Amino acid sequence: MTHDELLAIFDREQRREIAFPDIRREVTPHTIRHVVMSGRPGGAFVLYSRLDEDNADAVIESEIACFEGLGRDFEWKAYAHDTPPDLVARLKTRGFEVEDPEAVMVLDLARASDALWQPIAQDVRRLTDPAQLVEIAEIHEVVWGEKFDWLPKALADEMAADNERIQFYTAYADCVPACAAWIRFHPGTQFASLWGGSTLPAFRRRGLYTAVLSIRAQEARRRGYRFLTIDASPMSRPIVAKYGFQLLTFAHACNWHVKHET
Protein backbone atom coordinates (compact mmCIF):
# COMPACT_ATOMS: atom_id res chain seq x y z
CA MET A 1 0.00 0.00 0.00
CA THR A 2 1.37 3.39 -0.98
CA HIS A 3 1.43 6.42 1.28
CA ASP A 4 -1.32 8.11 -0.73
CA GLU A 5 -3.52 5.01 -0.60
CA LEU A 6 -3.15 4.78 3.17
CA LEU A 7 -3.83 8.50 3.55
CA ALA A 8 -7.04 8.11 1.55
CA ILE A 9 -8.18 5.25 3.82
CA PHE A 10 -7.34 7.32 6.88
CA ASP A 11 -9.33 10.30 5.60
CA ARG A 12 -12.33 8.11 4.80
CA GLU A 13 -12.42 5.98 7.94
CA GLN A 14 -11.02 8.37 10.55
CA ARG A 15 -12.32 11.71 9.34
CA ARG A 16 -15.29 11.49 6.95
CA GLU A 17 -17.13 8.41 8.21
CA ILE A 18 -16.12 8.17 11.87
CA ALA A 19 -18.75 8.48 14.60
CA PHE A 20 -18.34 8.65 18.36
CA PRO A 21 -20.61 7.45 21.16
CA ASP A 22 -22.79 10.15 22.67
CA ILE A 23 -21.65 12.75 20.09
CA ARG A 24 -23.90 14.16 17.39
CA ARG A 25 -22.36 14.00 13.92
CA GLU A 26 -23.44 16.76 11.54
CA VAL A 27 -22.66 16.59 7.82
CA THR A 28 -22.71 19.75 5.71
CA PRO A 29 -21.75 20.15 2.02
CA HIS A 30 -18.25 21.23 3.05
CA THR A 31 -17.55 20.03 6.61
CA ILE A 32 -18.26 17.31 9.12
CA ARG A 33 -18.69 18.53 12.66
CA HIS A 34 -19.20 16.68 15.95
CA VAL A 35 -20.99 18.09 18.97
CA VAL A 36 -21.49 16.76 22.49
CA MET A 37 -24.57 18.52 23.76
CA SER A 38 -23.62 18.06 27.42
CA GLY A 39 -21.30 21.04 27.06
CA ARG A 40 -18.18 19.32 28.34
CA PRO A 41 -14.81 20.70 27.09
CA GLY A 42 -13.44 19.02 24.01
CA GLY A 43 -16.89 18.02 22.84
CA ALA A 44 -17.18 20.24 19.76
CA PHE A 45 -14.96 19.96 16.72
CA VAL A 46 -14.68 20.01 12.94
CA LEU A 47 -12.79 16.90 11.92
CA TYR A 48 -13.07 17.08 8.14
CA SER A 49 -13.44 19.79 5.56
CA ARG A 50 -13.33 19.96 1.79
CA LEU A 51 -12.83 23.55 0.77
CA ASP A 52 -11.33 25.57 -2.05
CA GLU A 53 -9.96 29.07 -2.39
CA ASP A 54 -13.34 30.44 -3.44
CA ASN A 55 -15.49 29.10 -0.59
CA ALA A 56 -13.03 28.64 2.30
CA ASP A 57 -13.60 31.97 4.03
CA ALA A 58 -17.38 31.72 3.74
CA VAL A 59 -17.42 28.19 5.18
CA ILE A 60 -15.15 29.25 8.04
CA GLU A 61 -17.61 32.02 8.85
CA SER A 62 -20.50 29.56 8.68
CA GLU A 63 -18.84 27.18 11.15
CA ILE A 64 -18.04 30.02 13.54
CA ALA A 65 -21.67 31.16 13.39
CA CYS A 66 -22.89 27.62 14.06
CA PHE A 67 -20.79 27.11 17.18
CA GLU A 68 -21.28 30.67 18.40
CA GLY A 69 -25.00 29.98 18.15
CA LEU A 70 -24.51 26.93 20.35
CA GLY A 71 -22.33 28.91 22.76
CA ARG A 72 -19.57 26.36 22.26
CA ASP A 73 -15.82 26.67 21.90
CA PHE A 74 -14.64 24.30 19.19
CA GLU A 75 -11.57 22.87 17.54
CA TRP A 76 -11.05 22.79 13.79
CA LYS A 77 -8.56 20.03 13.15
CA ALA A 78 -6.75 20.95 9.95
CA TYR A 79 -4.36 18.57 8.21
CA ALA A 80 -1.37 19.41 6.06
CA HIS A 81 -2.98 17.87 2.96
CA ASP A 82 -6.30 19.69 3.38
CA THR A 83 -7.39 22.26 0.84
CA PRO A 84 -6.89 25.05 0.23
CA PRO A 85 -3.19 24.81 1.11
CA ASP A 86 -3.39 27.96 3.22
CA LEU A 87 -6.33 26.73 5.35
CA VAL A 88 -4.43 26.97 8.64
CA ALA A 89 -3.27 30.50 7.79
CA ARG A 90 -6.87 31.51 7.01
CA LEU A 91 -8.08 30.10 10.31
CA LYS A 92 -5.34 31.92 12.20
CA THR A 93 -6.09 35.20 10.43
CA ARG A 94 -9.77 34.83 11.35
CA GLY A 95 -8.89 34.53 15.04
CA PHE A 96 -8.38 30.83 15.75
CA GLU A 97 -5.61 29.94 18.18
CA VAL A 98 -3.37 27.57 16.25
CA GLU A 99 -1.36 25.02 18.21
CA ASP A 100 1.97 23.63 17.08
CA PRO A 101 1.59 20.87 14.48
CA GLU A 102 1.63 17.25 15.58
CA ALA A 103 2.89 14.39 13.46
CA VAL A 104 0.14 11.93 12.56
CA MET A 105 1.93 8.58 12.69
CA VAL A 106 0.54 5.22 11.61
CA LEU A 107 1.63 1.67 12.36
CA ASP A 108 0.67 -1.38 10.33
CA LEU A 109 0.38 -3.94 13.12
CA ALA A 110 1.36 -6.72 10.73
CA ARG A 111 4.75 -5.04 10.33
CA ALA A 112 5.29 -3.78 13.85
CA SER A 113 8.52 -4.32 15.77
CA ASP A 114 8.68 -7.62 17.65
CA ALA A 115 9.50 -5.59 20.74
CA LEU A 116 5.84 -4.56 21.00
CA TRP A 117 4.69 -8.15 21.37
CA GLN A 118 6.85 -9.06 24.35
CA PRO A 119 5.28 -9.70 27.78
CA ILE A 120 4.77 -6.51 29.78
CA ALA A 121 7.40 -6.39 32.53
CA GLN A 122 6.29 -3.12 34.14
CA ASP A 123 3.33 -2.62 36.47
CA VAL A 124 0.69 -1.49 33.97
CA ARG A 125 -2.94 -1.49 35.08
CA ARG A 126 -6.13 -0.93 33.16
CA LEU A 127 -8.34 1.68 34.83
CA THR A 128 -11.97 0.58 35.04
CA ASP A 129 -13.33 2.84 37.79
CA PRO A 130 -14.14 6.43 36.71
CA ALA A 131 -12.70 7.64 40.01
CA GLN A 132 -9.28 6.40 38.90
CA LEU A 133 -9.21 8.73 35.90
CA VAL A 134 -8.02 11.60 38.08
CA GLU A 135 -4.60 9.88 37.95
CA ILE A 136 -4.43 10.66 34.24
CA ALA A 137 -5.21 14.33 34.79
CA GLU A 138 -2.63 14.64 37.57
CA ILE A 139 0.10 13.17 35.37
CA HIS A 140 -0.84 15.42 32.46
CA GLU A 141 -0.79 18.54 34.61
CA VAL A 142 2.77 17.85 35.71
CA VAL A 143 4.01 16.89 32.24
CA TRP A 144 2.35 19.69 30.27
CA GLY A 145 2.25 22.44 32.88
CA GLU A 146 -1.43 23.28 32.52
CA LYS A 147 -4.73 22.46 34.16
CA PHE A 148 -6.55 19.28 33.16
CA ASP A 149 -9.29 19.41 35.78
CA TRP A 150 -11.89 18.90 33.02
CA LEU A 151 -10.28 15.68 31.73
CA PRO A 152 -11.53 13.07 34.26
CA LYS A 153 -15.16 14.02 33.61
CA ALA A 154 -14.67 14.02 29.84
CA LEU A 155 -13.03 10.59 29.90
CA ALA A 156 -15.58 9.22 32.37
CA ASP A 157 -18.35 10.28 29.97
CA GLU A 158 -16.68 8.27 27.22
CA MET A 159 -16.25 5.31 29.53
CA ALA A 160 -19.94 5.44 30.43
CA ALA A 161 -21.03 5.76 26.80
CA ASP A 162 -19.18 2.61 25.68
CA ASN A 163 -16.60 1.04 27.95
CA GLU A 164 -15.36 -1.31 25.21
CA ARG A 165 -14.54 1.47 22.75
CA ILE A 166 -12.05 3.16 25.04
CA GLN A 167 -9.55 1.73 27.51
CA PHE A 168 -7.33 3.56 29.99
CA TYR A 169 -3.97 2.49 31.38
CA THR A 170 -1.57 3.73 34.04
CA ALA A 171 1.96 2.45 34.59
CA TYR A 172 3.20 2.56 38.17
CA ALA A 173 6.78 2.97 39.37
CA ASP A 174 7.75 2.86 43.02
CA CYS A 175 4.00 2.63 43.77
CA VAL A 176 3.44 5.99 42.04
CA PRO A 177 1.17 6.52 38.98
CA ALA A 178 3.91 7.57 36.56
CA CYS A 179 2.68 7.13 32.99
CA ALA A 180 -0.86 7.26 31.61
CA ALA A 181 -2.51 6.81 28.24
CA TRP A 182 -5.63 5.51 26.56
CA ILE A 183 -6.74 3.88 23.32
CA ARG A 184 -9.90 4.34 21.28
CA PHE A 185 -11.21 1.50 19.14
CA HIS A 186 -13.21 2.45 16.07
CA PRO A 187 -15.63 -0.36 15.13
CA GLY A 188 -16.23 -0.86 11.44
CA THR A 189 -12.81 0.58 10.57
CA GLN A 190 -9.27 -0.75 10.37
CA PHE A 191 -8.03 1.74 12.95
CA ALA A 192 -7.48 2.11 16.67
CA SER A 193 -6.03 5.38 17.92
CA LEU A 194 -3.60 6.15 20.74
CA TRP A 195 -4.00 9.14 23.04
CA GLY A 196 -2.52 10.84 26.04
CA GLY A 197 0.77 9.01 26.48
CA SER A 198 2.65 11.03 29.12
CA THR A 199 5.31 10.09 31.68
CA LEU A 200 6.33 12.03 34.76
CA PRO A 201 9.86 13.42 34.25
CA ALA A 202 11.20 11.67 37.36
CA PHE A 203 10.26 8.25 35.94
CA ARG A 204 11.41 8.52 32.34
CA ARG A 205 13.88 6.11 30.76
CA ARG A 206 12.39 3.18 32.68
CA GLY A 207 10.43 1.76 29.76
CA LEU A 208 7.06 2.89 31.08
CA TYR A 209 5.96 4.68 27.91
CA THR A 210 6.95 1.65 25.85
CA ALA A 211 5.06 -0.67 28.19
CA VAL A 212 1.88 1.38 27.89
CA LEU A 213 2.38 1.54 24.11
CA SER A 214 2.85 -2.22 23.94
CA ILE A 215 -0.19 -3.17 26.00
CA ARG A 216 -2.41 -1.03 23.78
CA ALA A 217 -0.90 -2.39 20.58
CA GLN A 218 -1.40 -5.94 21.83
CA GLU A 219 -5.05 -5.27 22.63
CA ALA A 220 -5.62 -3.70 19.20
CA ARG A 221 -4.09 -6.71 17.46
CA ARG A 222 -6.13 -9.08 19.62
CA ARG A 223 -9.28 -7.31 18.47
CA GLY A 224 -8.31 -7.59 14.81
CA TYR A 225 -7.40 -3.99 14.02
CA ARG A 226 -4.82 -3.44 11.31
CA PHE A 227 -3.58 0.09 11.99
CA LEU A 228 -2.69 2.20 15.01
CA THR A 229 -2.55 5.98 14.74
CA ILE A 230 -1.11 8.57 17.07
CA ASP A 231 -0.85 12.35 16.97
CA ALA A 232 2.75 12.41 18.13
CA SER A 233 4.40 15.31 19.91
CA PRO A 234 8.09 15.99 19.21
CA MET A 235 8.82 14.09 22.45
CA SER A 236 6.96 10.91 21.49
CA ARG A 237 7.59 10.89 17.73
CA PRO A 238 11.10 9.33 17.87
CA ILE A 239 9.90 6.73 20.39
CA VAL A 240 7.01 5.46 18.28
CA ALA A 241 9.12 5.65 15.10
CA LYS A 242 11.49 3.18 16.71
CA TYR A 243 8.67 0.63 16.77
CA GLY A 244 7.64 1.06 13.14
CA PHE A 245 5.26 4.04 13.12
CA GLN A 246 5.49 5.98 9.86
CA LEU A 247 4.68 9.64 9.21
CA LEU A 248 1.31 10.00 7.49
CA THR A 249 0.67 13.75 7.66
CA PHE A 250 0.67 16.69 10.08
CA ALA A 251 -2.30 18.06 12.01
CA HIS A 252 -2.97 21.49 13.49
CA ALA A 253 -5.47 21.99 16.29
CA CYS A 254 -7.09 25.35 15.58
CA ASN A 255 -9.18 26.54 18.52
CA TRP A 256 -12.06 29.00 18.48
CA HIS A 257 -13.22 30.57 21.73
CA VAL A 258 -16.77 31.88 21.89
CA LYS A 259 -16.98 35.63 22.17
CA HIS A 260 -19.03 36.34 25.30
CA GLU A 261 -20.79 39.67 25.63
CA THR A 262 -19.70 41.85 28.55
Side-chain angles (χ1 to χ4, degrees), residues 107-121 210-211 213-215 217-218 221 239-245:
L107 174 67
D108 186 337
L109 289 170
R111 300 182 178 181
S113 167
D114 288 342
L116 289 180
W117 313 130
Q118 303 307 309
I120 308 300
T210 298
L213 174 65
S214 295
I215 201 167
Q218 291 173 20
R221 185 173 71 166
I239 300 175
V240 298
K242 182 171 64 174
Y243 296 103
F245 282 78

Side-chain angles (χ1 to χ4, degrees), residues 8 10 17 30-31 46 55 61 73 77 109 112-113 123 136 156 164 169-170 187 189 197 218 233 235 250:
F10 173 81
E17 298 178 355
H30 303 292
T31 64
V46 172
N55 65 22
E61 292 299 329
D73 296 347
K77 196 160 188 179
L109 289 170
S113 167
D123 181 8
I136 296 177
E164 286 305 307
Y169 295 93
T170 297
T189 80
Q218 291 173 20
S233 68
M235 188 185 308
F250 287 92

